[in-house]
Amino acid sequence: MKYLMFVCTDTEPDPDTAAHPDIEKWVADNDANGRRLDGSVLGPAAAATTVRVRDGDLLVSDGPFAETKELIVGFDLLECADLDEAIEVARAHPMAYAGRLELRPLVDLPEPA
């Protein structure tokens, strides 16, 4: 099953000063075993553009849609057997300590009739 893992900042990171996992090792290990299909760091929130259409009018605004202290700073696309495996993969990510990770399953849409 595929999961999109949002990598986010957090206003309350882990206060433990012990060394956190190494991101390069996490990427290499999960790329090698096929659990990480893709991923990237995102540009800054200030570079975001929000696009909406309301009453037929295109509305484009600078900046992120949500006003929050936590920001999405990256993503990883995971291939895992189930949610438990995805949680274990996320648990080993450095941002599980310094930020937060959100896992969402990808949903296959039905073929159009």
Side-chain angles (χ1 to χ4, degrees):
M1 178 165 212
K2 289 185 176 75
Y3 290 88
L4 185 60
M5 182 172 74
F6 292 102
V7 179
C8 306
T9 62
D10 194 337
T11 58
E12 298 177 16
D14 183 3
D16 186 359
T17 58
H20 297 173
D22 178 69
I23 188 63
E24 286 83 13
K25 180 173 178 0
W26 183 90
V27 168
D29 289 350
N30 286 288
D31 282 357
N33 64 28
R35 286 190 301 228
R36 181 178 175 273
L37 304 177
D38 198 5
S40 183
V41 173
L42 299 177
T49 301
T50 300
V51 178
R52 299 178 291 162
V53 175
R54 299 295 182 269
D55 292 323
D57 293 329
L58 173 64
L59 306 171
V60 178
S61 58
D62 294 334
F65 169 73
E67 293 191 24
T68 178
K69 293 179 184 178
E70 294 87 11
L71 299 172
I72 299 171
V73 295
F75 74 94
D76 290 286
L77 180 59
L78 307 177
E79 177 75 50
C80 297
D82 53 29
L83 179 58
D84 289 337
E85 183 181 13
I87 290 169
E88 286 303 310
V89 171
R91 177 184 184 183
H93 193 287
M95 284 300 282
Y97 300 83
R100 67 177 66 190
L101 303 168
E102 180 178 326
L103 296 166
R104 289 203 197 169
L106 272 62
V107 177
D108 292 326
L109 296 176
E111 293 292 324

